């Protein structure tokens, strides 16, 4: 409660406060005149305290009314005031303005980015209330169904009809759809990665390793940082594990799973190092410990003759 001015209702206003509890008076306008609370009465019903403080009011007026409001409520009877409406513009005092106030008052408070992330995490947590109609998720993530076109593309890629597939998640439908299927050169692969949305990619990396020709299937999960919504980031992160398992159930063996922020990371050197990491000799080398420091030349002792 702010500091109060000490201005109180005069006797006439206090008397009227007692009369208006009978329900016949619907609106009461109170103003400060000559240091006292006075009133003007139109007709109406129900009690809502409207504080009218326009922007054009002086600082002294704003402070005066703000620091007298609690006293007014106390003398009128705080239990009879069901709602309060603070207005600075005339349209806020209309019925439409009151309805906007109700909507804003009932809406949840805005969340920070961290609070939104926690809320999405709670939604995606594994629940223990099992039932015949409940949609469950596995411990490894959310198992979203795939469209018929996506399943057909996976079968085609198993037969090497394509070397590149791209998939997206329909967030409303919670279903994985095919975006594109093509045969592209490795140099054009970075250009296939969107910069505004997350995607799943499947690429057949053809290369030579230790004199052998290899075709390695690479699963790529691209997420361009915080340009995506929290829900999109959570869905793609939760679905990547089950979706990669679905790919392998279609007869496609994944040699490497990657997560990237930008398509510029997908170079030949990067893919080669990820699939064939260098073997480092991490065997520790132990050196022979040195002996104790020298204590000087040994002394010879002459044996004592026994008498």
């Amino acid at each position: 409660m702010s500091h109060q001015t000490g201005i109180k209702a005069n006797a006439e206003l206090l008397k009227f406060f007692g009369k208006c509890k009978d329900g016949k008076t619907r609106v009461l306008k109170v103003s400060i005149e000559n240091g006292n609370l006075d009133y003007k009465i139109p007709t109406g019903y129900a009690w809502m305290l409207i504080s009218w403080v326009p922007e054009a009011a002086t600082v002294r007026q704003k402070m005066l009314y703000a620091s007298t409001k609690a006293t007014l409520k106390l003398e009128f009877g705080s239990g009879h005031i069901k709602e309060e409406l603070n207005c600075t513009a005339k349209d806020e005092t209309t019925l439409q303005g009151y309805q906007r106030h109700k909507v804003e008052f009932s809406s949840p408070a805005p969340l920070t980015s961290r609070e939104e992330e926690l809320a999405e995490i709670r939604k995606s947590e594994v629940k223990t209330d099992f039932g015949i109609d409940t949609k469950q998720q596995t411990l490894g993530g959310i198992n979203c169904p795939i469209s018929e076109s996506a399943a057909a593309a996976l079968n085609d890629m198993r037969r090497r009809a394509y070397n590149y597939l791209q998939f997206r998640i329909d967030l409303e439908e919670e279903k994985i759809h095919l975006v594109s299927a093509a045969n592209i050169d490795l140099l054009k692969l970075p250009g296939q990665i969107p910069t505004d949305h997350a995607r799943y990619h499947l690429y057949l990396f053809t290369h030579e390793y230790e004199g052998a020709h290899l075709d390695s299937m690479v699963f790529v999960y691209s997420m361009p940082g915080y340009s995506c919504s929290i829900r999109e980031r959570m869905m793609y992160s939760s679905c990547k594990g089950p979706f990669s398992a679905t790919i392998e159930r279609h007869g496609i063996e994944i040699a490497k799973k990657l997560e990237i922020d930008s398509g510029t990371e997908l170079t030949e050197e990067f893919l080669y190092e990820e699939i064939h990491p260098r073997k480092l000799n991490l065997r520790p080398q132990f050196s022979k410990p040195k002996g104790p420091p020298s204590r000087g030349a040994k002394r010879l002792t002459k044996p004592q003759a026994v008498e």
Side-chain angles (χ1 to χ4, degrees):
M1 182 184 295
S2 60
H3 180 71
Q4 295 300 293
T5 60
I7 299 175
K8 297 184 177 181
N10 57 24
E12 185 178 5
L13 181 57
L14 288 174
K15 183 179 180 180
F16 179 76
F17 280 168
K19 291 181 178 180
C20 64
K21 304 297 193 310
D22 57 7
K24 296 180 180 179
T25 303
R26 296 184 59 188
V27 180
L28 171 64
K29 181 179 178 181
V30 180
S31 60
I32 300 176
E33 296 181 3
N34 300 321
N36 293 307
L37 293 173
D38 205 351
Y39 67 97
K40 295 179 181 178
I41 311 170
T43 59
Y45 185 71
W47 296 109
M48 178 176 65
L49 177 59
I50 301 177
S51 299
W52 164 252
V53 184
E55 294 293 342
T58 64
V59 175
R60 184 179 182 279
Q61 287 178 319
K62 293 178 180 179
M63 294 181 63
L64 187 65
Y65 275 83
S67 55
T68 309
K69 182 193 293 187
T71 302
L72 171 64
K73 292 167 60 178
L74 182 63
E75 295 190 334
F76 178 79
S78 300
H80 297 280
I81 299 176
K82 304 302 181 184
E83 293 184 81
E84 293 187 36
L85 183 61
N86 299 316
C87 304
T88 58
K90 288 185 178 180
D91 62 339
E92 296 176 348
T93 64
T94 62
L95 177 60
Q96 292 76 13
Y98 171 71
Q99 291 172 341
R100 288 196 303 269
H101 161 74
K102 295 288 289 183
V103 172
E104 293 173 358
F105 184 79
S106 60
S107 61
L111 301 177
T112 64
S113 297
R114 177 58 179 165
E115 290 172 336
E116 290 180 356
E117 290 179 358
L118 290 174
E120 289 294 335
I121 290 174
R122 294 189 186 100
K123 290 180 183 179
S124 63
E125 286 177 344
V126 178
K127 300 183 182 300
T128 57
D129 51 338
F130 295 96
I132 59 174
D133 298 325
T134 57
K135 179 182 179 181
Q136 302 299 328
Q137 66 183 69
T138 65
L139 291 174
I142 301 175
N143 192 3
C144 289
I146 64 174
S147 64
E148 293 183 0
S149 60
L154 289 175
N155 292 328
D156 290 340
M157 194 165 193
R158 186 184 70 249
R159 297 190 294 266
R160 299 296 190 263
Y162 306 107
N163 72 344
Y164 173 74
L165 300 178
Q166 183 179 135
F167 305 90
R168 68 175 180 87
I169 299 178
D170 187 315
L171 299 181
E172 298 301 325
E173 191 181 8
E174 294 189 354
K175 191 173 186 178
I176 297 176
H177 294 269
L178 177 70
V179 177
S180 63
N183 288 295
I184 62 173
D185 186 79
L186 178 59
L187 295 177
K188 296 182 179 180
L189 180 59
Q192 302 295 319
I193 311 302
T195 58
D196 54 349
H197 288 289
R199 289 290 186 268
Y200 296 132
H201 313 265
L202 206 57
Y203 183 71
L204 185 64
F205 178 46
T206 302
H207 62 287
E208 301 288 333
Y209 177 68
E210 295 182 349
H213 178 84
L214 296 178
D215 291 331
S216 301
M217 195 66 69
V218 181
F219 176 78
V220 181
Y221 159 48
S222 63
M223 173 59 68
Y226 286 89
S227 60
C228 302
S229 66
I230 294 174
R231 174 170 170 75
E232 184 174 354
R233 297 201 302 269
M234 294 293 298
M235 282 296 296
Y236 275 84
S237 177
S238 301
C239 293
K240 63 182 178 180
F243 181 51
S244 63
T246 299
I247 293 173
E248 293 185 325
R249 284 196 297 271
H250 278 74
I252 300 175
E253 182 180 354
I254 298 176
K256 188 65 179 180
K257 300 176 184 178
L258 302 174
E259 296 185 16
I260 62 172
D261 298 325
S262 171
T264 57
E265 300 178 49
L266 295 178
T267 63
E268 183 177 1
E269 293 77 13
F270 174 74
L271 294 178
Y272 192 91
E273 289 292 335
E274 288 293 328
I275 296 175
H276 308 291
R278 296 178 182 178
K279 297 179 181 179
L280 301 177
N281 185 11
L282 300 178
R283 184 176 180 179
Q285 299 293 331
F286 295 100
S287 59
K288 185 178 180 180
K290 296 180 180 181
S294 176
R295 297 181 179 178
K298 294 181 179 181
R299 292 184 299 174
L300 297 176
T301 58
K302 187 178 180 179
Q304 300 290 328
V306 180
E307 297 182 354

